[in-house]
Amino acid sequence: MLRLNTGTWLLIFLLVSPTIFNISVCERDSRSAVKKRRMSEKVRKMFYHAYENYMTYAFPHDELKPLTKTFTDSLSELGNLKLEHLPQEYNGSALTLIESLSSLLIMGNNTEFEKAVLWLSENLTFDVDARINLFECNIRVLGGLVSAHILATDSTNRSVQGIYKNQLLILAEDLGQRFLPAFDTPTGLPYAWINLKYGVMENETTETSTSGCGSLILEMGALSRLTGDPRFESAALRALRKLWSMRSSLNLLGTTLDVASGEWIEYSSGIGAGVDSFYEYLIKAHILFGRDEFWRMFQSAYLAVQKYFRHGPWYHEADMRTGKATYWQLTSLQAFWPGLQVLVGDIAAANSSHREFFYVWEKFGVLPERYLLDHQMLHPTEKYYPLRPELAESTFYLYQATKDPWYIEVGKSIVDSLNLYTKVEGGFASIKDVTTMQLEDHQHSFFLAETCKYLYLLFDDSFLVDRNYIFTTEGHPLPVVSAWHERLPETYIPSNWTSVKPEKKTKRASAMSLQVCPATTLNSGQNGQQVESACHIPDTRGNHRCLTDDDCGVESTTCRRRSCSMAGYCGLWLFI
Ligand code: DMJ
């Protein structure tokens, strides 16, 4: 028998191991590609189950009632908890179809996209006697139309070329003009409600929410850039600036306010209902329009959230005046926050919060609307799950940033739960009570605009390859182009990038890459200029000495967590 000494075995091992290693890496990669393909197919089927049932039983009304296979004209019910002033003669605006447009294209169904664009072009009208919520109508309808217009005119989308004559933009402009009277208040803060035909109603309530008047800039800004009419962006910007001027000395805002007096009504706030998209729009407006003003607002607001609301991986509410904790509650809407943190580059914090949200999802099978953190129990009346997208959204962002296969498992678990608990013959139904899984007769339009879209993009992001989009709060994509951007030079993101030849393509920064953590230069008095970013946390000691990693903060320009070296110094010794 051939006898080999240890040295020879070692040599053989060194020669063979890379091959074995390579084979196993390849196998693992191809297994994960197969799994992702299978999962994206599953999500595609879910989307079409929801879409086709809507088209059969509800279109052109607003939303599908999947249990009774009928419809609801719910545009005027959105945000209308008391169901006041409901219209007598309103027959819907094909809301779910509008919300489905960008998802159809992302899933590669150009034919259906084109059919939908043509139907809307010929049939949709906003000259209807319906009192609608400005925020909801902006994110769902205006956002859906503006985004679909951009996708329809994108030169890579050949199918609608020739037949598309900007009809969606014309509709969007008409809708935007109907929004404008809402901004006619002493403060510039818009009314929460407007009648599409008659404008602001007499004795209309002057109460609105922070997200209601602080999350209009993406859609109205994009509308102005597309139409050349500055009024939409100006109105949204004026409202945002006014809202920001109402912050407390702690850089906190409340949840509800009065648009006539500019006074706060509810001083307690968090990152959930009534506030959530305000934060989201500051960072996304910065990414889309490249204005330092948005970044400065976001940076201060984000730091205040981390300082006053964050408790480990959880976020409670606090009083904007004192920073004292008020309500210790987890809400389903808060689950978007880790996704926003990915955009900032604060991946470690995003990951730890996401894990907690997923833990609650697994505990109940879906995310309950409200969970009392201090009592470790469900809120007595808010036990529902209306097919919300936020956890899927964050999972998508975290997977984009880390490529950690664990997020694919999370996505699979979300898909399985949705199919198990909410799928019915007539579509997907909301859950009324997560303890009994009793269903409710409502398929919300955001299930098609967001839940299915983010799950699909988690498993198949080919739509995003070589493109740079940000998603509105309703999941409608808007492209980051230099023509709209105050900071990006033409060579960096060419405005005609879709027609740029591959070999000449300039490397574009992705809004979802880890490099997006925007650093900004601050004038800090005597010390001269200092570079800062939202996720910067200083080391505990000024001389950067440390005993453990906990003594080290987060580096300001890269947003990476510093660790403690063996010699006792904080630095970027470990990559996260
Ligand atoms: C969506 O309409 C939007 O994401 C909005 O910002 C708040 N949440 C709902 C879906 O849960």
Side-chain angles (χ1 to χ4, degrees), residues 135 139-140 276-277 333 388-390 446 450 473-474:
F135 164 78
I139 64 169
R140 301 196 198 210
D276 46 2
S277 48
L333 288 169
R388 287 199 192 281
E390 286 75 11
F446 53 67
E450 291 191 85
T473 191
E474 192 70 3

Side-chain angles (χ1 to χ4, degrees), residues 283 286-287 292 295 298-299 302-303 339-348 401 487 492 509-521 531-537 554-561:
I283 180 76
H286 172 69
I287 294 170
D292 285 341
W295 171 246
F298 175 76
Q299 183 188 38
Y302 183 78
L303 289 174
L340 173 141
Q341 292 186 305
V342 169
L343 290 182
V344 191
D346 211 350
I347 310 295
R487 293 164 69 114
Y492 191 57
S510 160
M512 273 168 285
S513 79
L514 284 177
Q515 294 136 25
V516 85
C517 172
T520 186
T521 309
V531 177
E532 264 292 5
S533 74
C535 50
H536 179 211
I537 300 167
V554 171
E555 213 255 345
S556 65
T557 49
T558 60
C559 289
R560 290 211 308 264
R561 189 172 289 280

